[in-house]
Amino acid sequence: IHTKGASTPTLELVEPLNNLARAERALGNYTAAEPHYKRAISILESQGRNANAGILNDNLAVLYGHMGRYDEAEQLHKHALQLLEGALGLEHRSVGQAAANFGAHLQGRDRFDEAEPLLRRGLAIAEAQQRQDPVHIATIADNLAGLLRRTSRAREAKESLRWALSVFEKALPADHPTLATARNNLGRLLLDLGEHAEAEVQLRRAL
């Protein structure tokens, strides 16, 4: 969120409010983060800054998901995606991120038919970006693989998980929790496929 050079004093509050919200969220203080996000969003929407408002609405939606406020989260995910599509077009990286986040939310609610096209859309947009973070792409691929596993498409999921794990291994420290989770996910999938020897290797490495 950038507001440097803003002509309205209230607009200048958005950056510090967003920083406060991010700090509280990182500390797990979700209730404290919420009002900072809401105030920043109110300022942005009142000024017609729909792209930035969309990003913060998406962040707040993810926060609500962490708080177990699933219905509110879903409405905000929809609102964020609409704002971003209207402001940035259908192929912008922020639109892809919002689609992937919405898909992950629906996946967590076991609404797989609705989640899959959103995850695939987010992945396709991310892959099309020339300077996209590979860890971001791998994270979406890992989420999609989890959905494929839950919907009895284990072999398709395996390829996606292997690729995601290879990216995480190159980009993340050996003790990073995301890496451990990816190894655990692959190990469980390999058990489903009866590939017990390799499954044991991945599960042990996840410890």
Side-chain angles (χ1 to χ4, degrees):
I1 307 295
H2 300 286
T3 60
K4 186 176 181 181
S7 59
T8 306
T10 53
L11 207 53
E12 295 172 359
L13 295 174
V14 170
E15 191 72 32
L17 284 167
N18 182 51
N19 290 338
L20 280 169
R22 291 175 60 190
E24 295 288 7
R25 176 178 161 182
L27 292 169
N29 298 330
Y30 301 143
T31 302
E34 180 185 1
H36 300 314
Y37 275 135
K38 292 178 78 170
R39 188 178 177 197
I41 288 166
S42 177
I43 293 169
L44 289 167
E45 292 190 343
S46 72
Q47 299 294 322
R49 303 296 184 98
N50 286 349
N52 287 350
I55 292 169
L56 289 195
N57 271 292
D58 190 53
N59 290 343
L60 182 57
V62 172
L63 184 78
Y64 282 165
H66 290 320
M67 297 171 74
R69 294 162 61 177
Y70 302 120
D71 290 342
E72 291 171 275
E74 180 171 345
Q75 292 305 311
L76 273 184
H77 276 302
K78 288 180 181 177
H79 181 54
L81 192 54
Q82 289 170 350
L83 285 175
L84 288 165
E85 287 175 339
L88 301 172
L90 300 180
E91 304 299 327
H92 192 276
R93 60 184 297 173
S94 294
V95 173
Q97 178 69 71
N101 287 343
F102 192 9
H105 170 77
L106 293 171
Q107 179 180 359
R109 307 298 295 155
D110 292 344
R111 291 163 60 181
F112 303 125
D113 288 346
E114 297 168 83
E116 184 172 349
L118 286 163
L119 289 172
R120 289 192 181 279
R121 182 184 179 193
L123 183 60
I125 292 173
E127 289 177 332
Q129 304 298 314
Q130 292 184 346
R131 289 180 287 181
Q132 183 62 272
D133 177 10
V135 172
H136 169 65
I137 301 174
T139 299
I140 303 174
D142 187 60
N143 287 339
L144 178 60
L147 183 150
L148 293 170
R149 178 174 180 260
R150 292 286 303 277
T151 54
S152 303
R153 287 175 283 174
R155 295 200 178 279
E156 186 180 352
K158 183 172 76 168
E159 299 308 312
S160 185
L161 274 176
R162 283 194 189 282
W163 180 81
L165 180 58
S166 71
V167 172
F168 291 144
E169 286 176 334
K170 293 174 183 176
L172 299 175
D175 60 350
H176 197 283
T178 296
L179 188 54
T181 298
R183 285 174 174 151
N184 184 65
N185 289 344
L186 180 57
R188 291 167 58 199
L189 179 68
L190 292 168
L191 285 177
D192 291 345
L193 291 169
E195 300 177 27
H196 298 115
E198 187 180 355
E200 182 179 1
V201 171
Q202 295 297 342
L203 291 170
R204 286 186 180 279
R205 294 185 71 193
L207 296 176

